[in-house]
Amino acid sequence: IYRDGVGDGHISYVHKVEVDVVKKTCKEFYGDEKFGLAFIIVKKRISARFFLNTEKKREHYQNPPPGTVVDSSITDPTMYDFYLVSQHVTKGTVTPTHYNVIVDTLNETATKPITQCYATTDL
């Protein structure tokens, strides 16, 4: 479930109230059968900007390509969060989207383990 429009001050409310309602509803639907759930808060109005240095010898910055994921260094080490550049722009700077995963039980019900795949770029 992707949930938009949640400010930083309301994350605990969403976690305590909305996630609980979803879990209870899933429990009613699935009964005793295990179910996986991922609840992700999406923030599109953020001030973070990322740039890619395309030339090593001198500073030449451009927008990172669509699909760029930033999940370390600037993310909160106490949370499961990441940034995703999901669009290409020809003018100005690209605005990444911030994703905060507040519940993730998908690996508990997957028939095969869900693994992470990383592509590296120098941001």
Side-chain angles (χ1 to χ4, degrees), residues 6-61:
V6 179
D8 288 335
H10 294 98
I11 292 175
S12 63
Y13 171 82
V14 170
H15 194 271
K16 290 176 186 173
V17 177
E18 293 184 24
V19 171
D20 191 46
V21 169
V22 170
K23 284 181 177 179
K24 286 179 182 176
T25 303
C26 288
K27 183 75 171 156
E28 290 174 8
F29 183 79
Y30 290 108
D32 291 332
E33 185 179 340
K34 279 190 161 186
F35 60 90
L37 175 67
F39 201 102
I40 303 165
I41 295 175
V42 180
K43 295 180 193 167
K44 296 177 283 191
R45 294 183 181 157
I46 58 171
S47 60
R49 299 292 184 266
F50 305 128
F51 300 96
L52 177 65
N53 189 1
T54 58
E55 296 182 21
K56 300 295 181 192
K57 294 181 180 178
R58 63 186 181 108
E59 293 184 0
H60 185 266
Y61 295 99

Side-chain angles (χ1 to χ4, degrees), residues 62-83:
Q62 68 182 30
N63 286 315
T68 299
V69 174
V70 177
D71 63 353
S72 62
S73 299
I74 64 165
T75 55
D76 187 339
T78 64
M79 297 187 329
Y80 177 7
D81 66 331
F82 61 93
Y83 293 88

